[in-house]
Amino acid sequence: MSAQKCDIAIVGGGPAGLAAGLYGARGLVSTIIFEKQASGGQITTTSWVENYPAFPDGVSGTDLGELMARQAEKYSAQIELFVTVTGIERADGGGFVLRTDSGTDWHARAVILACGAVPRRLDIPGETKYTGRGLSWCATCDANFFKDKVVAAIGGGDTAVEEAMYLTKFASKVYLIHRRDEFRAAPIAVERARKNEKIEFVLDTVPVEILGDGTRVTGLRVKSIANDAERTIDVSGIFQFVGVEPLNELVTNLADVTNNAGYIVVEDDGSIPTIPGLFAAGDLTNNSLKQVVSAAGSGATAAAAALKYLDESE
Ligand code: NAP
């Protein structure tokens, strides 16, 4: 097993990790970003980002990720795509060793965790069986498979409401199924969805089973919160947007620094007080607004703190 050295290793190539990479590289220290998928992290599953400053007409999530990656690379940040960091250990003599599935171990003097979060599951019957067979977590990736079909979007947050709107570009009808009659999503997005004739709101209702013919999704069994009555909604596609879970495995093996919900508790500068040299940024942290702009900001902040740490520990 070969081992390489860097000053700052960043785990996660979403907005937080890419911004950290840009600031680390511009601080003239060797900076590497590991991303297990494509650049951009979760925003690549977002059809259209309307609230990232400097894009008055919006920008696709994929394009925004690519632009951020290009800017970090311009200043010599090294981006390793499709590489998973499988473990992090404290190194003898200081710093950290990152194990990767590429066959290379990396020794880093400082590490910034920007692994983000993954979509939450509902844990209802049919969910595992029909994943990728009509059940999806990504409208950007899969909406075009449902041209002129009827689909359901589940959830009441920004993701559900925004992606339900995106789905109407393809589907003939979108049921927006939410367990309450109030939304977490921004009012402007809910208002827009209410005006869209292709969207039917199904409120105070929870999904209880994904139905299918053995090969593909054919419907969704739902239950009314008000009277427990169940019914089936015929759909050929189901998109689940019921929140996210932090990807915290790498840190939980190092120390007990997460809160009850699994988010890493950081100081204002992204540092983790009990582990000098370890920082976190973005959706994985306890104080995240879960916006692209705040993720990028926290990445820059964590990189600045990491640079200061490197300076002081020399
Ligand atoms: P979220 O805001 O946590 O919303 C999750 C939704 O799923 C909630 O409406 C929740 O219902 C519902 N839900 C959770 N568990 C459920 C279950 N077991 N059964 C049925 N429904 C369930 O998640 P998100 O929409 O993915 O957004 C995550 C974060 O990213 C948020 O902070 C959001 O603001 C941010 N975001 C921002 C933008 C933007 O600014 N353009 C876009 C996307 C996401 P309850 O409301 O009843 O809890």
Side-chain angles (χ1 to χ4, degrees):
M1 182 78 67
S2 54
Q4 296 203 43
K5 289 191 173 179
C6 62
D7 291 312
I8 300 179
I10 298 159
V11 189
L18 292 170
L22 172 65
Y23 276 72
R26 282 175 57 85
L28 300 181
V29 301
S30 62
T31 303
I32 184 164
I33 301 167
F34 298 99
E35 166 55 48
K36 63 184 172 191
Q37 293 170 345
S39 286
Q42 278 217 103
I43 52 165
T44 60
T45 67
T46 303
S47 45
W48 201 246
V49 179
E50 287 186 338
N51 52 5
Y52 192 75
F55 292 92
D57 300 321
V59 56
S60 83
T62 312
D63 286 351
L64 188 54
E66 279 173 12
L67 286 167
M68 288 182 177
R70 201 195 303 164
Q71 196 172 1
E73 282 178 323
K74 179 178 167 186
Y75 294 98
S76 302
Q78 182 180 343
I79 303 180
E80 294 284 312
L81 295 179
F82 303 102
V83 173
T84 300
V85 174
T86 53
I88 300 177
E89 295 149 28
R90 289 189 219 215
D92 296 337
F96 302 86
V97 175
L98 288 84
R99 313 263 179 221
T100 73
D101 66 354
S102 71
T104 304
D105 288 347
W106 283 82
H107 180 276
R109 294 172 60 210
V111 171
I112 300 173
L113 295 169
C115 321
V118 285
R120 182 179 291 138
R121 297 176 65 88
L122 280 172
D123 289 325
I124 56 174
E127 191 178 34
T128 302
K129 183 170 182 178
Y130 290 108
T131 294
R133 298 158 146 207
L135 173 62
S136 170
W137 278 264
C138 175
T140 321
C141 321
D142 297 327
N144 60 343
F145 295 125
F146 298 94
K147 204 160 182 331
D148 300 324
K149 303 252 169 66
V150 180
V151 301
I154 304 170
D158 284 310
T159 308
V161 175
E162 288 179 9
E163 298 307 292
M165 284 292 287
Y166 179 71
L167 284 165
T168 61
K169 293 183 182 192
F170 302 86
S172 56
K173 175 170 184 148
V174 179
Y175 289 100
L176 180 56
I177 296 163
H178 178 35
R179 65 182 174 185
R180 293 190 292 141
D181 65 354
E182 286 178 358
F183 285 82
R184 282 173 198 269
I188 188 172
V190 178
E191 194 184 313
R192 209 182 293 161
R194 285 195 192 281
K195 286 184 183 152
N196 189 312
E197 289 178 354
K198 280 192 177 179
I199 298 181
E200 179 175 331
F201 283 65
V202 181
L203 303 180
D204 295 318
T205 298
V206 286
V208 290
E209 184 175 359
I210 312 277
L211 304 171
D213 60 8
T215 314
R216 303 275 317 163
V217 165
T218 57
L220 181 66
R221 189 99 188 125
V222 295
K223 185 169 82 173
S224 156
I225 297 273
N227 57 16
D228 280 353
E230 290 196 12
R231 68 179 171 117
T232 296
I233 300 176
D234 293 333
V235 288
S236 19
I238 298 172
F239 289 81
Q240 280 186 194
F241 304 116
V242 293
V244 293
E245 305 277 359
L247 279 171
N248 61 15
E249 300 86 7
L250 289 174
V251 78
T252 50
N253 292 336
L254 271 176
D256 183 13
V257 291
T258 53
N259 64 14
N260 287 343
Y263 292 94
I264 298 177
V265 179
V266 291
E267 298 291 300
D268 287 347
D269 65 356
S271 61
I272 299 170
T274 48
I275 315 178
L278 189 65
F279 303 82
D283 287 5
L284 179 57
T285 61
N286 62 313
N287 54 9
S288 163
L289 187 62
K290 296 201 177 64
Q291 300 288 307
V292 185
V293 64
S294 55
S298 72
T301 302
L307 289 167
K308 186 163 178 268
Y309 167 81
L310 292 179
D311 255 1
E312 290 170 353
S313 58
E314 252 169 18

